[in-house]
Amino acid sequence: RCCQVGSLRPLPRLVQPWCGANSRRKMSSEVLTSITTDNAQLECGIVPGGRKGAVVCHPWGKLGGSMNDPVVVSVRNELARAGFTVCRFNFRGVGRSSGWSGLTGNAERDDLRAVCQFLLIGATIGGVKIEPVDELILVGYSFGSVITGSVLDEVDAVKGACAISYPYSVTWALCLWNGSSFWKVFQLSAKKKLLVYGDHDNFSSKAQLDKAAQQLAQPAESECFDGVDHFWGGAHRQLAERIARWALTVLPPA
């Protein structure tokens, strides 16, 4: 069941995302606000763009993951430059999001479905109009990839999902008994998928991730980055550019 999208609590500022010296298009300011679900109020940032949307999900909050993670921000920037309306948000219990994080991943799945529904409806926040999107892609990093993969087939408007550094060997610790079933949803989905990881990942071996990539049902792509660990230090831009290229094949410009 998707959470209902409730009232919005606008935060008092807009943030201009960092664009870099070689930006291909000027990015809109990010609108900071919150989305009220059945059980939590979720802190989020939305960069308005076109009618194609993207949601970027962060690593495990219990280990410090949040929507301000450098990987999340880099992917947000690149997708915004590519013309997407992009939303990053904090799962419940993280940052300024209310509520308590769960142990099974189900609460975070509710959060993601609520964010998707909000983007499909649109709103005016602090005088800034967020146009509703027609279609979405999901991008998750580490724990966030477990959640995005598990929701991939539950929202019709979602056309594909990208998993960054999927924590393949430790999902049992992140989602208890749901880890295997969450992976199966992503693995077997008939929607477009991208799995990206480093050959020096700190939690899963290259052999494990290579095997996982080979098991993905088509249509699927994968790429292993040489010399990169779970945290993508020094490779944020290459990662974000790879994801943006894939995203534009899933949801091409009109």
Side-chain angles (χ1 to χ4, degrees):
R1 181 176 66 87
C2 289
C3 291
Q4 296 177 349
V5 177
S7 60
L8 295 171
R9 175 176 53 84
L11 299 178
R13 62 196 178 105
L14 304 180
V15 176
Q16 181 64 45
W18 177 84
C19 296
N22 297 316
S23 297
R24 291 182 295 281
R25 67 188 294 272
K26 184 177 181 180
M27 293 168 57
S28 301
S29 294
E30 181 178 59
V31 181
L32 295 182
T33 187
S34 64
I35 297 172
T36 302
T37 73
D38 286 349
N39 298 303
Q41 196 167 53
L42 307 177
E43 178 185 13
C44 67
I46 303 171
V47 180
R51 299 299 292 262
K52 311 295 185 182
V55 181
V56 187
C57 295
H58 65 74
W60 205 30
K62 289 182 172 62
L63 289 180
S66 78
M67 70 185 223
N68 295 320
D69 182 277
V71 169
V72 172
V73 173
S74 295
V75 172
R76 184 276 316 267
N77 290 348
E78 199 64 32
L79 289 173
R81 283 196 285 267
F84 287 81
T85 291
V86 188
C87 178
R88 61 185 177 122
F89 72 99
N90 278 327
F91 289 119
R92 64 186 65 191
V94 177
R96 296 182 64 177
S97 292
S98 66
W100 298 92
S101 59
L103 297 174
T104 64
N106 286 323
E108 289 78 9
R109 282 160 39 81
D110 285 345
D111 294 344
L112 176 55
R113 286 190 292 258
V115 170
C116 290
Q117 292 302 321
F118 168 73
L119 290 175
L120 292 168
I121 295 170
T124 298
I125 305 170
V128 178
K129 186 172 180 58
I130 308 295
E131 296 286 351
V133 301
D134 297 322
E135 297 173 307
L136 288 159
I137 59 165
L138 306 178
V139 181
Y141 171 34
S142 192
F143 171 74
S145 69
V146 179
I147 303 304
T148 56
S150 73
V151 173
L152 176 56
D153 287 341
E154 297 186 8
V155 180
D156 289 343
V158 172
K159 302 304 179 183
C162 168
I164 305 168
S165 298
Y166 197 98
Y168 187 75
S169 65
V170 294
T171 53
W172 61 269
L174 305 177
C175 303
L176 298 182
W177 54 83
N178 287 329
S180 177
S181 61
F182 287 174
W183 166 254
K184 284 293 184 182
V185 174
F186 182 64
Q187 176 192 356
L188 300 177
S189 176
K191 294 183 179 180
K192 293 184 177 181
K193 300 170 290 294
L194 173 64
L195 177 63
V196 286
Y197 53 96
D199 63 349
H200 286 73
D201 191 272
N202 305 72
F203 302 104
S204 302
S205 70
K206 181 179 182 298
Q208 287 175 315
L209 291 168
D210 285 344
K211 183 178 180 180
Q214 293 166 5
Q215 293 174 344
L216 291 175
Q218 294 301 314
E221 300 177 34
S222 65
E223 184 167 345
C224 178
F225 285 68
D226 293 337
V228 171
D229 64 14
H230 193 80
F231 305 101
W232 295 87
H236 294 160
R237 182 168 182 176
Q238 298 95 309
L239 170 67
E241 289 176 345
R242 175 65 176 91
I243 292 169
R245 290 196 301 271
W246 169 82
L248 289 170
T249 68
V250 179
L251 298 179

